[in-house]
Amino acid sequence: MASDQPFARALAAICVGFFVILCCSPQARAVDYTFARDATRAPAVSYYDYIIVGGGTAGCPLAATLSQRFRVLLLERGGSPYGDQRVENMTHFTATLADTSPGSPAQRFVSEDGVINSRPRVLGGGSCINAGFYTRASDEYVMDVGWDLEAAKAAYRWVEDVVAFHPELGPWQGALQRGLMEVGVAPDNGFTFDHIDGTKVGGSIFDDEGRRHTAADLLRYARPEGIDLLLRARVAKILFNVGGRRARPVAHGVVFHDSRGRMHKAYLNTGRRNEIILSAGALGSPQLLMLSGVGPADHLRSFNITLVLNQSAVGQGMADNPMNAIFVPSPSPVEVSLIQVVGITQFGSYIEGASGSNWANPRHQGSGGNRRPPRNFGMFSPQTGQLATVPPKQRTPEAIARAADAMSQLDDSVFRGGFILEKVLGPASTGHLELRNLNPDDNPAVTFNYFSHPEDLRRCVEGLTLIERVIQSKSFENFTYPYFSMEELLNITAEFPVNLLPRHDNDSKSLEQFCKDTVMTIWHYHGGCQVGRVVDAEYRVLGVDALRVIDGSTFNASPGTNPQATVMMLGRYMGVKLRDERVHAEGLRRRKL
């Protein structure tokens, strides 16, 4: 299957780490929030108007907004992104993704489909470990979901004032932009946050000094007297009042543990509008509902979990936008770039790219002049033992060490180039989530069923076909070798250890097979607590009182070309809605009295 050219073989062996560019770690400012402290310093029992579980992409803006009028507890299972070199320093981004220690900001999981993935475990959530691309959902998406369009735009602007910037394109990204327009992905929409068909430059959460701004930065809007933020607070379950005169279970508190294993309880203050809100993400929110007794009855009973509510839709509708990419070696130097340009096609595939030559640990000459420390290739490196082409029993430490050494000896020129990728709108394929055990810190079992729907596969093939035309365009000619055929590029890419799936001999002959064999995550997983199935249009959990879910687990489809802007917007949007509705209702009640 591999290319006959030695150069192509070398590229196939070493260019794995370019994929890691797509989720590089941030370079953030140090922030000292006076309301933040470690959970070990929390009282055994406390009371609040709102308890928010998850200080991530949605939880931070939600907590900041509600704290302006009410008492809020924000519980984050990870630590702070500020002052953490694994997060702040861009040169450490591959090491962060390869870090499988309990305190890593990125918690690796492998889906039941065999695709390697990561979920955040840090204040700021996925905005701390992603590629930084910022783009809104389309107006059609906003209206279909049922959000007020003008209120959503105001919430987007609130977020953008802190975290969104206009990136400057380097030569490689500029060539990709022109190449997309040359092959008909028109019009040229220039720089915009909006989701518009054609080619555009999107926003970035990296500023012009290369510093990442995350959802955690949105806590600057919080009223310090109105919020307590507890770090390394691992929520074990939601507490419910059940039975008696109550027709429905009522959430009234949570149990959480600090890093020393000590148990704490937080309860809602007396008041009919006080609520617990899950913002723990597409994996965390359905997992916590199940651990608390809300979920499929038979599944929960198999773990001896006391059933609070038989809700069969919890954990269903899990989806991850499948991504496939083609590596394009370059005869010319290329800039290090994350996602900046996107081609929004009319057939339902998005085309993007990332490039660079020092995406891994840079090699420096030692004192002897010739010493070269080995590169760290991050989550796709030989050191992770995840090489798809090597059977598990053969992934010995000695074999991995030999592979790492061979890769580190290659000349830097072999690393020049970039990836052009396509990802599928939607997607139409969905799966499910189940518990593995009763430990909320462990990953649940997740199946995404990539390409189980033929429409997703059709879009992948069309996207790859369009990428071939971009590679062959005049605009991109300075960054391609004329003697590399599309078949050879597919062969090179098919050898990258991007997942644990077996390869087939016809990967370079059949784009359908290439899509299936080389599928990767784009870290846009969603579902598990979908609107209309688990929560209502106001994100209240169906069949339960005083409990909502506000995060990406409620999405039926991924918004725009990247969900992070919309997840942050949703936190602000629902925070404003809850705040204003409550203030209005309480004002009316006082006037009646």
Side-chain angles (χ1 to χ4, degrees):
M1 179 183 69
S3 169
D4 292 332
Q5 296 193 38
F7 184 57
R9 286 183 179 273
L11 285 167
I14 54 81
C15 293
V16 183
F18 274 100
F19 286 107
V20 182
I21 290 176
L22 303 179
C23 59
C24 90
S25 298
Q27 190 173 11
R29 298 167 298 104
V31 171
D32 182 18
Y33 291 126
T34 58
F35 48 80
R37 63 185 187 275
D38 194 271
T40 55
R41 298 171 55 195
V45 178
S46 55
Y47 294 86
Y48 294 88
D49 300 326
Y50 289 96
I51 300 171
I52 299 174
V53 179
T57 318
C60 286
L62 176 64
T65 302
L66 290 175
S67 74
Q68 293 163 1
R69 295 297 296 261
F70 311 107
R71 283 285 293 147
V72 176
L73 174 63
L74 179 60
L75 298 169
E76 168 52 44
R77 72 188 184 117
S80 170
Y82 306 113
D84 187 338
Q85 287 299 305
R86 296 169 302 177
V87 173
E88 291 182 348
N89 193 328
M90 288 187 67
T91 63
H92 294 171
F93 70 85
T94 56
T96 301
L97 292 168
D99 182 359
T100 57
S101 68
S104 173
Q107 181 178 2
R108 181 183 302 173
F109 71 95
V110 180
S111 74
E112 301 303 292
D113 315 90
V115 174
I116 304 166
N117 211 317
S118 290
R119 59 189 291 212
R121 182 170 46 196
V122 60
L123 181 68
S127 64
C128 291
I129 62 171
N130 65 15
F133 195 62
Y134 184 96
T135 180
R136 298 180 179 183
S138 67
D139 289 353
E140 290 76 16
Y141 185 100
V142 169
M143 291 185 289
D144 286 346
V145 170
W147 298 326
D148 178 86
L149 185 58
E150 291 308 312
K153 288 182 176 179
Y156 275 124
R157 290 192 294 269
W158 181 88
V159 171
E160 288 154 10
D161 284 344
V162 174
V163 306
F165 302 88
H166 181 177
E168 288 192 19
L169 301 189
W172 192 92
Q173 287 280 347
L176 175 61
Q177 178 188 32
R178 294 188 300 274
L180 284 166
M181 291 185 290
E182 184 179 330
V183 302
V185 187
D188 176 9
N189 294 306
F191 167 73
T192 180
F193 293 141
D194 294 333
H195 185 94
I196 311 170
D197 284 353
T199 296
K200 74 165 193 172
V201 178
S204 174
I205 61 175
F206 291 95
D207 65 22
D208 57 6
E209 296 180 357
R211 298 178 303 183
R212 183 188 291 253
H213 297 253
T214 76
D217 292 358
L218 297 171
L219 288 170
R220 68 171 65 180
Y221 288 117
R223 179 173 64 94
E225 298 78 18
I227 184 172
D228 285 330
L229 164 60
L230 296 181
L231 300 172
R232 287 172 283 277
R234 297 167 292 181
V235 176
K237 60 188 279 188
I238 303 162
L239 300 173
F240 293 94
N241 286 323
V242 181
R245 297 181 179 179
R246 300 178 183 85
R248 294 150 53 102
V250 180
H252 71 104
V254 300
V255 175
F256 65 95
H257 296 88
D258 61 33
S259 58
R260 296 175 183 170
R262 292 182 298 195
M263 184 178 72
H264 306 257
K265 292 183 180 179
Y267 294 101
L268 294 176
N269 286 322
T270 302
R272 59 185 298 269
R273 289 183 175 271
N274 295 335
E275 293 180 313
I276 295 169
I277 303 175
L278 295 184
S279 295
L283 270 64
S285 288
Q287 179 186 26
L288 191 54
L289 282 178
M290 290 184 187
L291 291 173
S292 305
V294 178
D298 290 343
H299 183 55
L300 300 191
R301 290 191 183 111
S302 70
F303 288 91
N304 294 318
I305 296 173
T306 301
L307 186 67
V308 173
L309 178 69
N310 181 14
Q311 178 33 295
S312 60
V314 174
Q316 299 301 305
M318 295 297 300
D320 183 21
N321 299 73
M323 180 181 78
N324 295 84
I326 297 175
F327 175 66
V328 186
S330 172
S332 306
V334 299
E335 74 271 14
V336 175
S337 69
L338 305 179
I339 306 300
Q340 295 176 330
V341 172
V342 59
I344 301 175
T345 71
Q346 295 184 348
F347 56 79
S349 183
Y350 304 135
I351 312 299
E352 302 173 348
S355 64
S357 59
N358 62 343
W359 38 268
N361 250 2
R363 296 188 301 191
H364 301 287
Q365 289 187 338
S367 58
N370 294 317
R371 292 180 56 198
R372 284 185 166 187
R375 286 184 173 93
N376 180 348
F377 293 90
M379 64 185 290
F380 301 123
S381 69
Q383 293 95 325
T384 68
Q386 302 294 348
L387 291 171
T389 55
V390 179
K393 291 183 179 180
Q394 297 179 25
R395 297 172 193 163
T396 64
E398 294 77 15
I400 292 170
R402 287 195 299 270
D405 183 66
M407 294 165 76
S408 65
Q409 298 304 314
L410 292 165
D411 188 85
D412 287 340
S413 63
V414 180
F415 292 82
R416 286 202 302 250
F419 285 94
I420 304 179
L421 62 92
E422 69 81 33
K423 56 187 177 185
V424 170
L425 169 71
S429 304
T430 61
H432 60 277
L433 176 150
E434 295 179 333
L435 297 176
R436 292 188 190 275
N437 54 41
L438 300 179
N439 187 345
D441 290 333
D442 288 349
N443 293 315
V446 188
T447 303
F448 292 119
N449 289 326
Y450 296 103
F451 297 123
S452 60
H453 195 289
E455 182 66 10
D456 292 340
L457 192 58
R458 180 191 67 80
R459 287 170 170 169
C460 177
V461 170
E462 288 201 46
L464 292 174
T465 302
L466 183 63
I467 289 174
E468 178 180 10
R469 293 170 56 203
V470 172
I471 293 171
Q472 296 171 347
S473 69
K474 183 175 178 59
S475 299
F476 216 72
E477 63 183 2
N478 290 336
F479 298 104
T480 57
Y481 286 97
Y483 54 79
F484 272 112
S485 67
M486 184 64 173
E487 181 177 343
E488 288 172 319
L489 295 179
L490 291 173
N491 274 329
I492 293 170
T493 308
E495 291 193 4
F496 299 157
V498 297
N499 59 41
L500 306 184
L501 301 175
R503 302 296 190 261
H504 294 79
D505 290 338
N506 65 335
D507 279 331
S508 63
K509 303 290 186 182
S510 167
L511 290 181
E512 288 85 357
Q513 193 65 57
F514 181 88
C515 287
K516 294 176 182 178
D517 286 358
T518 66
V519 63
M520 294 174 286
T521 181
I522 190 66
W523 300 279
H524 294 175
Y525 43 88
H526 54 279
C529 298
Q530 290 177 318
V531 171
R533 302 180 71 185
V534 176
V535 299
D536 65 16
E538 299 298 317
Y539 302 96
R540 294 174 292 226
V541 176
L542 297 169
V544 175
D545 289 334
L547 180 63
R548 298 189 199 232
V549 180
I550 300 176
D551 59 24
S553 71
T554 64
F555 293 164
N556 294 310
S558 186
T561 61
N562 186 298
Q564 78 163 338
T566 302
V567 177
M568 285 190 272
M569 182 280 292
L570 177 62
R572 169 62 176 178
Y573 177 93
M574 285 304 299
V576 169
K577 188 176 180 68
L578 294 175
R579 182 196 67 193
D580 292 353
E581 287 178 353
R582 181 167 179 169
V583 169
H584 178 71
E586 291 176 353
L588 287 177
R589 189 177 65 217
R590 284 194 295 270
R591 284 198 292 272
K592 289 180 181 179
L593 293 175

